[in-house]
Amino acid sequence: MSFGPTMVNDVIHTPALAGSRLMLHDIDERRLLRAYRLGAKLNAAAGAPIVLDYTTDPSRAYDGATFCISSAEVGRFEHWRQDYEIPQRHGARQINGENGGPGAVFHSLRSIKTTLGICADIEKHAPEAFLGNLSTPMSRVTLAINRATKLTNVGVCHEGPIGVHRLARLLRINPRHVEARASGINHFTFFTEMWDRRTGEDLLPRVRTMFAHKRFDFSPRSVALTKLAMRSAVLLGALADQLYAPIVAHMVREHGLVPCSVDSHIGEYLPFALDIGTYHPKTVDHFERLDRTTERWATWVADTRVPLPLRRIGHSLEEVVPIIAARWTGEPARVMAVNVPNATNLPNVADGAIVEVGATVDGDGVHPDLMPAVAAPIAAIIATQVELQDMIVEAALTGDAELACEALAADPCAPSDERACRAMFDELRALQAPHLTF
């Protein structure tokens, strides 16, 4: 439900893909049937431009596939809560435990196992297919795909386009008029350029001036309002997640660097994140509520006979379907963010590490941008995360539990006490053993 309906709707609303066959595949038949019913309604509302099908059988799912899009988690919120709460109890200083922090080591191990299982089916039944991966932790999962498979692939995340949209709205500019470039690693990328397409104006100075305003001091009143929003309606919580950003404001004010993502993402890689501001939402609570709401909405839309204006739902900010369309038609397209092995794209980041940069896509493939060196204040943080990428992926691929434990202890947000790290690791390992490779 995180990406499924959006991906289906994006394919439906991409004229270059009209006439294509879109196969929905899952191992849970009940959920798959609901997804199909919802997808069928979206397709019918747009005049049925594609052929929609579904199956639980991987041999049938991948038969004849030219492109695959993968987004999968096992027990997402049950495990995310464990990844967050258990490290906190052992003294970790992490914000989320989803993509960074010691808890994210276990998220990475689970997600790598799940995604490589999917990749094995693709390699068996459609080895020439192009894979767009949406599963997180993006950097680590993408590195595992590149090390363990021969699939042509790219990791795709929406944080860059969403960041442009958010900042444009704050500047009171129509997002369609704003273009930007950014670089870094997934969920820790920073804008290097941002300009108004109509005038050519450099917008980054305006963004820095904006964040210097006192409203981004996040006073006790704004903190209280954020807490209330996070506990109330889901949409208000989503708005608060996007706009309550003391860590983003700190990075802009102290270093002049404008992050693409919000606090709950960039803060995962910063050992000092909890020292910035007086409040940090427990994001797993918000997203679990959002997920339940999405599940109820999807079920109702799939089954209701009430006429709905589904044809008015246009293309999303996601970039994976535009990538597929450009590869299919050969017509070059610019995308803001792809996750790929570094090949001097970021000159002061280790070659082979998974970096996130913009790209041009055409019939010959994905051509990542060559970007300037990463700014000094964040280069060391990225270097640490690159080392963790390597350790965690190696641990997942070899089944090396001790290496995974070393990676957990090496995370900047882990407690300094080795015994606490070991106790945390053993507790999470015992709870999640069926989903690990050791």
Side-chain angles (χ1 to χ4, degrees), residues 226-237:
T226 300
K227 289 180 178 179
L228 179 63
M230 295 300 287
R231 292 195 301 267
S232 55
V234 168
L235 290 179
L236 281 177

Side-chain angles (χ1 to χ4, degrees), residues 29 31 34 49 61 137 160 176 185 196 205 218 243 268 276 279 287 291 319 322 350 359 372 374 390 399 402:
E29 186 170 24
R31 293 173 63 84
R34 180 184 60 186
R176 290 181 300 174
I185 59 172
D196 189 320
F218 298 103
L243 298 181
E268 295 204 83
I276 307 299
Y279 168 66
F287 278 99
D291 181 76
E319 295 188 306
V374 175
D390 184 72
E402 286 306 308

Side-chain angles (χ1 to χ4, degrees), residues 24-310:
L24 305 182
H25 174 51
D26 203 326
I27 59 174
D28 185 326
E29 186 170 24
R30 180 185 63 85
R31 293 173 63 84
L32 176 61
L33 285 170
R34 180 184 60 186
Y36 174 75
R37 293 196 304 273
L38 177 57
K41 277 196 169 183
L42 293 169
N43 192 34
I50 65 170
V51 177
L52 192 67
D53 202 351
Y54 68 95
T55 184
T56 58
D57 178 2
S59 64
R60 181 166 172 257
Y62 298 115
D63 182 35
T66 308
F67 302 99
C68 298
I69 303 173
S70 173
S71 173
E73 293 265 4
V74 176
R76 173 166 171 75
F77 290 101
E78 173 192 359
H79 293 137
W80 186 358
R81 193 166 295 282
Q82 293 169 358
D83 295 343
Y84 176 78
E85 293 179 350
I86 291 171
Q88 298 298 95
R89 180 155 38 81
H90 287 281
R93 289 177 53 78
Q94 62 179 22
I95 281 187
N96 271 344
E98 185 190 18
N99 297 293
V105 172
F106 277 83
H107 184 201
S108 304
L109 295 169
R110 297 192 311 273
S111 197
I112 289 169
K113 180 179 179 180
T114 298
T115 301
L116 291 185
I118 293 168
C119 288
D121 280 340
I122 298 172
E123 286 196 299
K124 180 178 180 180
H125 301 292
E128 302 303 317
F130 175 84
L131 170 65
N133 172 61
L134 299 170
S135 297
T136 57
M138 179 63 69
S139 300
R140 299 163 185 181
V141 173
T142 303
L143 182 61
I145 293 170
N146 280 278
R147 282 194 181 171
T149 82
K150 296 180 180 179
L151 294 174
T152 304
N153 71 93
V154 68
V156 189
C157 179
H158 55 211
E159 283 299 307
I162 289 176
V164 169
H165 195 275
R166 178 176 59 252
L167 291 176
R169 290 297 185 192
L170 289 171
L171 292 173
R172 299 183 180 180
I173 301 174
N174 188 319
R176 290 181 300 174
H177 301 319
V178 177
E179 191 163 347
R181 294 196 179 196
S183 64
I185 59 172
N186 183 242
H187 288 183
F188 199 67
T189 52
F190 295 79
F191 289 108
T192 59
E193 299 175 74
M194 182 180 290
W195 66 95
D196 189 320
R197 288 193 182 104
R198 300 165 301 176
T199 65
E201 179 190 1
D202 181 359
L203 296 176
L204 287 179
R206 285 181 60 182
V207 173
R208 296 184 183 104
T209 300
M210 178 183 70
F211 274 104
H213 193 277
K214 64 180 181 180
R215 74 176 180 272
F216 290 100
D217 292 344
F218 298 103
S219 66
R221 183 172 180 271
S222 65
V223 170
L225 288 172
T226 300
K227 289 180 178 179
L228 179 63
M230 295 300 287
R231 292 195 301 267
S232 55
V234 168
L235 290 179
L236 281 177
L239 185 64
D241 179 64
Q242 288 290 303
L243 298 181
Y244 177 73
I247 300 174
V248 169
H250 171 84
M251 297 300 290
V252 177
R253 291 173 171 185
E254 295 297 316
H255 304 293
L257 299 168
V258 181
C260 293
S261 294
V262 293
D263 278 22
S264 58
H265 287 331
I266 67 167
E268 295 204 83
Y269 302 116
L270 301 172
F272 57 81
L274 293 179
D275 299 325
I276 307 299
T278 59
Y279 168 66
H280 300 284
K282 188 175 178 181
T283 311
V284 61
D285 287 345
H286 164 65
F287 278 99
E288 188 169 24
R289 289 176 60 225
L290 180 61
D291 181 76
R292 288 197 301 266
T293 301
T294 304
E295 294 275 354
R296 288 195 297 268
W297 173 85
T299 301
W300 181 79
V301 172
D303 297 332
T304 186
R305 294 186 178 182
V306 175
L308 299 171
L310 296 177

Side-chain angles (χ1 to χ4, degrees), residues 326-383:
R327 290 217 57 184
W328 177 247
T329 64
E331 184 174 342
R334 282 289 308 167
V335 293
M336 190 174 169
V338 295
N339 286 264
V340 293
N342 190 33
T344 71
N345 303 95
L346 291 180
N348 59 338
V349 175
D351 281 354
I354 301 301
V355 296
E356 188 168 272
V357 296
T360 300
V361 186
D362 57 25
D364 294 326
V366 177
H367 311 288
D369 294 341
L370 298 177
M371 299 293 290
V374 175
I378 60 172
I381 296 169
I382 289 178

